């Protein structure tokens, strides 16, 4: 039985950085002196969250796909898809390597699994062209895609996923790139350059490699503006530089999420974050279609990737805190997954009440 949520102070240390600013730290201190900045940011992000009404149909709260998973790494795409469902997405799909499919199916009957990717060992039974066609038919139904969790290093899988990134972009679908897909961006930055519906979520080693591939010096890669430089080099994609504090930037604006998290760094937490970002992106995609309307004002469509990334960081970090409070050193990513719904309610429930549309 899940325990009731613990008392935990809201913490929204958010910094908005203007490109011409001299010091990120100076602006951070300035905004910390402004009352309610983070609350206003969360209130704005809440406009993207679908109100649960009898007028909605299956799929209106989002169809999300996790593309990843191979023989060695079956848990990663499961964490992505399960996070999406626990946040309230209607349908979650996983497109994975053939040998991972039955394992992932066994984790949950709620996830739709497609065994379409092929490793080098299995490539003889499906050509890359056919894989692209099959994946494309799934993409046509999606509102957001998370790419990279559990891909592994197989060349044939990476070739397929490179094509998937191109196909996702051609369809205008928002996407999150994490883990092994970031290596593809490092090899060919033009895969995402200028595509402002893309969110990249590198950890420290991945970020260093990304900087190197973009020609950013080691000195600049360690600077406080490093994430901003990467976003600029990639033409305005959103970067989530994960760490003690999460730095979220599109090169023009920067948010810093300092929500308190747990002290464990177990594998799978990045996949949970990717699933959360994909869910908020899916909601943003539906918001653009005017599927629902809140009363808290309009959201600029260009701001949706940043708002989605910040909101997901907030929820994922808080879920980590709740899991660690309960499990301590025994905390695993499954522990964090079990807290996702509570973390979401803690951060958004009261805000949603404030922006809920009036009854007809």
């Amino acid at each position: 039985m899940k325990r009731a949520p613990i008392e935990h102070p809201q913490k929204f240390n958010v910094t908005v950085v203007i490109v011409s600013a001299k010091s990120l730290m100076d602006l951070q201190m300035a905004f910390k002196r402004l009352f309610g900045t983070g609350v206003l940011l969360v209130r704005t992000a809440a406009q993207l969250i679908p109100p649960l009404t009898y007028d909605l149909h299956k799929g209106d709260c989002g169809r999300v796909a996790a593309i990843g998973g191979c023989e060695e790494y079956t848990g990663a795409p499961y964490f992505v898809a399960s996070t999406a469902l626990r946040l309230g997405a209607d349908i979650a799909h996983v497109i994975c390597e053939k040998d991972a499919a039955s394992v992932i199916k066994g984790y949950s009957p709620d996830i739709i699994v497609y065994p379409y990717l092929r490793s080098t060992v299995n490539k003889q039974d499906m050509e890359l062209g056919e894989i692209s066609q099959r994946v494309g038919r799934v993409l046509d139904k999606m509102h957001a895609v998370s790419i990279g969790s559990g891909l592994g290093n197989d060349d044939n899988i990476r070739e397929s996923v490179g094509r998937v990134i191109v196909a996702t972009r051609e369809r205008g679908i928002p996407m999150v790139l994490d883990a092994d897909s970031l290596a593809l961006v490092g090899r060919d930055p033009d895969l995402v350059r200028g595509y402002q519906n893309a969110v990249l979520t590198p950890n420290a080693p991945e970020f260093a490699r990304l900087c190197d591939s973009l020609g950013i010096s080691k000195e600049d890669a360690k600077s406080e503006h490093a994430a901003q430089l990467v976003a600029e080099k990639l033409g305005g994609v959103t970067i989530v530089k994960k760490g003690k504090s999460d730095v979220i930037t599109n090169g023009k604006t920067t948010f810093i999420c300092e929500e308190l998290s747990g002290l464990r760094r177990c594998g799978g937490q990045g996949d949970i974050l990717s699933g959360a970002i994909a869910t908020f992106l899916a909601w943003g995609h539906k918001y653009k279609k005017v599927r629902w309307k809140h009363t808290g004002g309009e959201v600029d469509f260009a701001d949706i990737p940043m708002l989605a990334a910040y909101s997901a960081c907030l929820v994922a970090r808080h879920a980590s805190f709740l899991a660690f409070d309960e499990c301590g050193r025994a905390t695993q990513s499954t522990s964090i997954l079990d807290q996702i719904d509570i973390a979401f309610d803690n951060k958004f429930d009261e805000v949603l009440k404030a922006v809920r549309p009036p009854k007809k």
Side-chain angles (χ1 to χ4, degrees):
M1 181 178 294
K2 188 181 296 182
R3 62 168 179 76
I6 66 168
E7 291 294 324
H8 177 55
Q10 298 276 343
K11 185 176 182 182
F12 305 102
N13 291 330
V14 182
T15 305
V16 180
V17 176
I18 303 170
V19 175
S20 60
K22 293 181 180 180
S23 170
L24 176 62
M25 190 60 66
D26 288 345
L27 279 172
Q28 184 174 4
M29 295 305 296
F31 275 97
K32 281 183 178 179
R33 290 194 293 268
L34 294 178
F35 176 74
T37 302
V39 174
L40 290 174
L41 181 60
V42 170
R43 184 182 176 90
T44 303
Q47 306 301 315
L48 307 178
I49 300 171
L52 298 179
T53 72
Y54 289 110
D55 296 326
L56 295 178
H57 303 286
K58 183 172 69 174
D60 282 344
C61 288
R63 293 189 293 267
V64 176
I67 299 177
C70 61
E71 184 177 16
E72 296 91 344
Y73 304 115
T74 58
Y78 162 76
F79 285 129
V80 175
S82 191
T83 297
L85 293 175
R86 293 177 191 228
L87 281 176
D90 282 339
I91 306 172
H93 305 249
V94 169
I95 301 174
C96 62
E97 210 282 328
K98 175 183 177 182
D99 288 341
S102 59
V103 178
I104 298 171
K105 284 177 182 286
Y107 292 152
S108 171
D110 296 312
I111 299 170
I112 302 169
V113 182
Y114 302 92
Y116 290 167
L117 301 182
R118 289 294 184 271
S119 65
T120 303
V121 173
N122 293 323
K123 69 177 184 179
Q124 68 278 359
D125 64 355
M126 194 183 299
E127 297 293 332
L128 289 172
E130 184 179 353
I131 293 172
S132 297
Q133 290 177 4
R134 291 192 179 195
V135 173
R137 287 194 288 270
V138 178
L139 290 178
D140 288 337
K141 304 174 184 178
M142 294 302 107
H143 302 130
V145 177
S146 172
I147 303 174
S149 295
L151 280 181
N153 298 315
D154 184 86
D155 289 338
N156 205 63
I157 293 178
R158 288 192 172 193
E159 174 65 24
S160 295
V161 171
R163 297 186 181 199
V164 170
I165 294 172
V166 172
T168 302
R169 180 172 182 168
E170 289 174 346
R171 288 165 170 79
I173 302 170
M175 59 177 155
V176 189
L177 282 84
D178 185 37
D180 298 311
S181 67
L182 296 174
L184 297 176
V185 176
R187 293 178 184 177
D188 184 7
D190 288 335
L191 282 172
V192 298
R193 197 190 308 273
Y195 187 58
Q196 296 178 3
N197 273 333
V199 179
L200 279 60
T201 60
N203 59 24
E206 291 163 346
F207 184 79
R209 290 192 291 270
L210 199 55
C211 286
D212 184 60
S213 68
L214 292 171
I216 297 172
S217 68
K218 290 184 179 180
E219 181 180 356
D220 285 339
K222 295 178 181 178
S223 73
E224 61 186 13
H225 301 293
Q228 183 180 333
L229 290 174
V230 172
E232 290 173 351
K233 289 270 191 180
L234 291 175
V237 305
T238 296
I239 300 295
V240 179
K241 183 174 179 285
K242 299 181 289 192
K244 183 178 180 181
S245 299
D246 294 330
V247 179
I248 305 153
T249 182
N250 58 13
K252 296 180 179 179
T253 303
T254 297
F255 302 148
I256 297 180
C257 183
E258 293 182 320
E259 174 68 21
L260 195 62
S261 64
L263 297 178
R264 288 279 284 122
R265 296 294 177 262
C266 45
Q269 292 184 72
D271 306 311
I272 290 173
L273 176 61
S274 293
I277 295 174
T279 304
F280 276 95
L281 287 174
W283 290 339
H285 188 71
K286 295 294 289 184
Y287 176 86
K288 291 180 181 180
K289 306 293 184 182
V290 199
R291 188 61 188 87
W292 60 80
K293 189 175 181 64
H294 287 295
T295 61
E298 299 295 326
V299 176
D300 188 326
F301 291 172
D303 294 335
I304 288 176
M306 287 284 290
L307 290 169
Y310 177 78
S311 301
C313 287
L314 185 71
V315 171
R317 292 173 71 94
H318 186 46
S320 169
F321 172 86
L322 295 175
F324 185 77
D325 179 73
E326 182 173 291
C327 302
R329 289 183 181 273
T331 301
Q332 302 173 55
S333 288
T334 49
S335 315
I336 299 171
L337 191 62
D338 285 341
Q339 300 291 346
I340 282 291
D341 57 327
I342 294 178
F344 176 83
D345 288 345
N346 284 353
K347 296 304 178 184
F348 283 98
D349 195 47
E350 291 302 317
V351 180
L352 287 172
K353 290 177 182 178
V355 300
R356 188 171 295 158
K359 294 182 179 179
K360 296 180 181 180

